[in-house]
Amino acid sequence: MLAAAGAISLSACAARTDSGSGGSDSSAPQAAAPSAAADAADPAGDGKAQCSPTSIAYAGTINGANAALGINILNGAKLAVDQHNKANPGCQVKLEQFDTEGTPDKAPGIVTQIVNTPGIIGVVGLPFSGESKAAGNIFNGAGLVTVTPSATAPVLSTNGWKTFFRGLGNDNSQGPAAAKFMTGELGAKKVCVIEDDSEYGTGLAATTKQGLGSALACEDKVKTKQTDFSAVVNKVKAAAPDAVFYSGYYQEAAPFAQQLNDAGVTAKFVGPDGVKDDEFVKNAGDAAANAYFTCPCVPADQFTKFTDAYKAAAGKDPGTYSPEAYDLATILLKGIDSGKTTRPALLDFVKTYDGQGLTKHFKWDDKGELSSTTVWTYKVENGKIVRNTEIK
């Protein structure tokens, strides 16, 4: 899946002296959340845009496994489009929604539907790395620009696709950062890495294990939709690690964490961005109180205007990658407002884009990667996921 520092300059965020309340025994102080940049792009623009009715799309999971992660993105993109349309009566943009269920099996067929819909000139998605790998060539063949807020597999930018742009850091940054967090801030001498069988899970596990080096105490694999983790739990318990890193998504991470807890494993549980969701906290039960997360996503605490608008529209707080989706949809809307209303024109607009968003400064290289990225950690405190520290 599942951030870069630009004018916001996240690396300049000073650590706060208060460490908050609740169950963390980490000695590192909670880092201050970045404020919204004064020059962050606004989807409303100047309100004077003129265009024929046109469409962009969200493509990703809506009802499938780990759907909450996709809905976070959909709601962020939808907010940007709604704000744009309200402010620009002369340029109405439709956000079409396509449910891939997040799977490599279903995504190619859905993506084929999208590229065969001529009115769609840009796409927010795909959220997951496996589906992105399976369908990215279809977008590329059609010349249809795609901006992903969350697909983090490094291989996605090495396929020669000219339509793929990633709005966050990839797993070559998240894996080593996760290893540094566990052995540094958490003080783990021994770490077990458990990976699922997704493109995302296996790739992130590889870079995390490489970063851990001699601190890797055990490793094992699980399968998507697995519910009984007893064999893996026994292996972890025998290794007696200080931390367990689960490389995968929240659907399996929650019961796995609960079964570790039930078996008396007291190691810190660390999940990546694919686990960082309220659904994990709800389904992991007591085990969630000992959980941390890594994510190349920026805390939205100080994005007050965005957060208030999101809550009013969605009825809940922004989730993982909601602000990133808002930023990426805004970039597509800015292109449309500037008259780029064909697929080739909007693709060229994104390719040469250089501007500030809420979460970071956006400017891509020729592979669709951002030039500067950062990774944050989060933790569960009083039943809620809260920001922890920025990994530097």
Side-chain angles (χ1 to χ4, degrees), residues 145-277:
V145 62
T146 63
V147 284
T148 178
S150 58
T152 55
V155 70
L156 298 176
S157 63
T158 67
N159 294 301
W161 301 336
K162 301 302 182 182
T163 56
F164 174 83
F165 298 86
R166 195 188 328 255
L168 73 168
N170 66 37
D171 291 334
N172 285 336
S173 60
Q174 184 175 191
K180 182 178 181 181
F181 169 65
M182 289 184 286
T183 58
E185 185 174 326
L186 296 185
K189 304 299 183 184
K190 298 182 0 181
V191 179
C192 285
V193 175
I194 310 302
E195 64 190 80
D196 73 5
D197 55 359
S198 69
E199 182 77 20
Y200 164 68
T202 56
L204 178 57
T207 58
T208 304
K209 289 185 287 188
Q210 184 176 10
L212 286 169
S214 61
L216 180 64
C218 76
E219 57 184 295
D220 210 340
K221 302 177 185 292
V222 300
K223 294 185 179 297
T224 302
K225 298 184 180 180
Q226 185 170 332
T227 57
D228 181 0
F229 299 93
S230 54
V232 183
V233 168
N234 288 337
K235 184 173 183 177
V236 171
K237 189 172 184 179
D242 305 302
V244 175
F245 185 77
Y246 182 80
S247 187
Y249 295 101
Y250 69 77
Q251 185 178 40
E252 292 78 29
F256 175 53
Q258 184 65 69
Q259 289 171 41
L260 285 171
N261 188 65
D262 291 345
V265 175
T266 58
K268 295 288 192 300
F269 186 90
V270 182
D273 48 329
V275 179
K276 182 187 164 285
D277 193 86

